[in-house]
């Protein structure tokens, strides 16, 4: 299941922090193996939100193009290995002239029956995804960092050229692929929104922002659910009114209330610890309301995923 977290609105809507909380809560609730991907550079990366110390160690420990480090490593491997099809599967026995060129680690020089040399793929694409990932929750939740030593425009071009292969390989590695998807006209964003199974549209209680989505993105409406950040139930534009005005089923609407402690955890990179310690908190706990709505949001996303899977069968 491929799930894009995205917003048609500009500004601090909280897409990354919402993705972080949903993915962790879903892992705790369902024990599903998941991988988190970003298709863009951003100041506050998912890695900083999920695990501050490990992310900074990862960045500072000299991970270069030669290391198995993040999305850049995946792009290097996939760009060099031209024999991957769009399903992420190796296309074996493709002749190539060696001519003294440096051998790519994806390939092994062999001798075919007719004595012609060729390169044969020896590494499964799902292994590349695992090698490039940071483990956030043991054996269940993984994150593929985006390093910043490449020019962002070059990165955008390379990612767009390989995004189909990356998504297929990720599906071989994990049950769920969460994609933090840019709305800044990144080349790969259009492809992602078209190819994913479900789009979690992140919005706030602003009628202009909501109207903009429905006026411009009706093509993805059938596979969308809506997540409202910093939700205030006392607002005139509440869930009931939004559902009625835009003819959205209430089962496709969820909210993430503003929570000071969670926002502090986002800034400190201690979101895993915050959610783990509060997941089953009691009603008297000040974080109870936040956790209750978060669990509802997870249920909404998984119910919609099952509905989509059922329609496709």
């Amino acid at each position: 299941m491929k799930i894009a977290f995205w917003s048609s609105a500009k500004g601090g809507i909280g897409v990354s922090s919402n993705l972080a909380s949903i993915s962790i809560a879903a892992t705790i609730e369902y024990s599903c193996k998941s991988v988190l991907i970003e298709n863009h550079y951003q100041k506050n990366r998912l890695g900083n939100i999920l695990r501050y110390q490990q992310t900074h160690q990862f960045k500072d420990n000299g991970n270069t193009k030669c290391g198995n480090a993040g999305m850049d490593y995946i792009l290097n491997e996939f760009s060099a290995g031209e024999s991957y099809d769009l399903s992420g599967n190796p296309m074996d026995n493709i002749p190539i002239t060696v001519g003294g060129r440096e051998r790519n680690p994806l390939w092994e020089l062999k001798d075919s029956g007719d004595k012609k040399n060729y390169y044969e793929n020896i590494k499964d694409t799902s292994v590349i995804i695992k090698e490039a990932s940071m483990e956030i929750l043991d054996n269940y939740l993984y994150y593929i960092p985006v390093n910043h030593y490449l020019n962002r425009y070059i990165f955008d071009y390379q990612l767009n050229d390989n995004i189909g292969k990356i998504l297929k390989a990720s599906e071989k590695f994990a049950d769920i692929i969460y994609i933090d998807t840019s709305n800044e006209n990144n080349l790969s964003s259009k492809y992602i929104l078209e190819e994913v199974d479900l789009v979690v549209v992140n919005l706030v209680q602003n009628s202009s922002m909501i109207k903009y989505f429905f006026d411009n993105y009706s093509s993805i409406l059938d596979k969308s659910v809506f997540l409202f950040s910093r939700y205030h139930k006392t607002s005139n534009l509440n869930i009931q009114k939004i559902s009625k005005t835009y003819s959205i089923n209430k089962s496709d609407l969820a909210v993430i209330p503003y929570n000071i402690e969670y926002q502090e955890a986002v800034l400190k990179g201690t979101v895993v610890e915050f959610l783990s310690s509060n997941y089953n908190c009691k009603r008297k706990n000040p974080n109870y309301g936040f956790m209750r709505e978060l669990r509802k949001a997870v249920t909404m996303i998984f119910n919609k995923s099952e509905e989509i899977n059922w329609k496709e069968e």
Side-chain angles (χ1 to χ4, degrees):
M1 173 63 65
K2 302 180 294 294
I3 304 176
F5 274 64
W6 171 81
S7 179
S8 58
K10 308 290 184 181
I13 306 300
V15 175
S16 298
S17 61
N18 287 344
L19 191 160
S21 62
I22 292 290
S23 62
I24 294 167
T27 303
I28 295 172
E29 186 70 25
Y30 295 101
S31 299
C32 45
K33 187 177 182 181
S34 307
V35 61
L36 311 180
I37 296 173
E38 295 161 298
N39 81 323
H40 56 117
Y41 286 153
Q42 56 181 335
K43 183 178 180 180
N44 196 21
R45 291 176 286 174
L46 274 172
N48 294 350
I49 296 173
L50 293 164
R51 188 170 288 181
Y52 179 86
Q53 292 298 330
Q54 182 169 332
T55 300
H56 280 259
Q57 290 169 7
F58 181 87
K59 181 182 69 175
D60 295 335
N61 281 346
N63 290 288
T64 66
K65 296 179 183 179
C66 297
N68 299 356
M71 186 60 73
D72 301 332
Y73 168 71
I74 294 173
L75 292 176
N76 288 338
E77 296 290 273
F78 280 11
S79 296
E82 296 296 337
S83 65
Y84 287 112
D85 62 23
L86 285 179
S87 297
N89 297 316
M91 296 164 60
D92 295 332
N93 303 347
I94 297 180
I96 185 170
T97 301
V98 181
R101 294 175 61 187
E102 183 178 351
R103 190 166 110 189
N104 186 278
L106 282 178
W107 304 89
E108 180 180 354
L109 187 62
K110 292 193 175 182
D111 191 12
S112 65
D114 59 359
K115 305 301 182 182
K116 290 182 180 179
N117 287 329
Y118 64 89
Y119 280 111
E120 183 181 72
N121 192 295
I122 60 172
K123 184 181 289 186
D124 189 283
T125 53
S126 63
V127 175
I128 297 173
I129 299 299
K130 182 174 182 179
E131 288 176 344
S133 301
M134 292 171 55
E135 195 172 60
I136 302 301
L137 292 175
D138 291 346
N139 299 317
Y140 285 110
L141 187 61
Y142 297 81
Y143 164 63
I144 300 175
V146 174
N147 295 328
H148 284 191
Y149 55 75
L150 276 180
N151 179 285
R152 64 181 300 176
Y153 300 106
I154 295 175
F155 170 81
D156 190 27
Y157 176 81
Q158 289 186 337
L159 181 61
N160 183 62
D161 200 39
N162 291 279
I163 188 63
K165 304 170 191 176
I166 292 169
L167 293 180
K168 289 293 183 182
S170 297
E171 284 188 288
K172 293 171 69 177
F173 171 66
D175 302 312
I176 302 176
I177 299 89
Y178 297 100
I179 309 154
D180 187 340
T181 309
S182 173
N183 66 358
E184 297 290 339
N185 296 319
N186 289 50
L187 293 172
S188 60
S189 290
K190 183 175 184 294
Y191 180 91
I192 290 168
L193 292 178
E194 289 175 351
E195 291 298 317
V196 295
D197 304 294
L198 177 66
V199 180
V200 180
V201 181
N202 292 251
L203 293 170
V204 293
Q205 289 162 291
N206 181 296
S207 56
S208 297
M209 289 182 180
I210 300 171
K211 185 176 184 300
Y212 180 80
F213 170 82
F214 283 94
D215 288 345
N216 293 278
Y217 296 97
S218 58
S219 61
I220 62 172
L221 189 57
D222 288 344
K223 61 176 182 180
S224 294
V225 292
F226 298 88
L227 191 60
F228 286 85
S229 302
R230 303 192 297 273
Y231 180 79
H232 295 281
K233 60 182 180 181
T234 57
S235 170
N236 291 329
L237 192 61
N238 54 31
I239 287 294
Q240 289 73 24
K241 186 172 182 179
I242 293 170
S243 173
K244 183 177 180 180
T245 302
Y246 298 98
S247 300
I248 309 173
N249 194 316
K250 286 183 181 179
S251 64
D252 292 336
L253 295 168
V255 304
I256 300 292
Y258 181 78
N259 181 280
I260 294 176
E261 286 191 43
Y262 179 69
Q263 292 305 316
E264 289 178 350
V266 167
L267 294 175
K268 293 178 181 178
T270 56
V271 165
V272 173
E273 292 79 2
F274 172 83
L275 294 176
S276 298
S277 61
N278 286 283
Y279 193 78
N280 291 311
C281 65
K282 304 301 182 183
R283 188 177 294 273
K284 292 182 180 180
N285 190 304
N287 297 312
Y288 176 80
F290 175 83
M291 297 306 305
R292 179 190 60 204
E293 297 302 329
L294 178 60
R295 289 194 296 270
K296 287 182 180 179
V298 170
T299 299
M300 172 193 70
I301 290 170
F302 273 70
N303 286 345
K304 188 69 172 184
S305 298
E306 290 180 1
E307 177 186 324
I308 291 170
N309 282 334
W310 181 81
K311 287 180 179 179
E312 291 178 350
E313 291 178 356

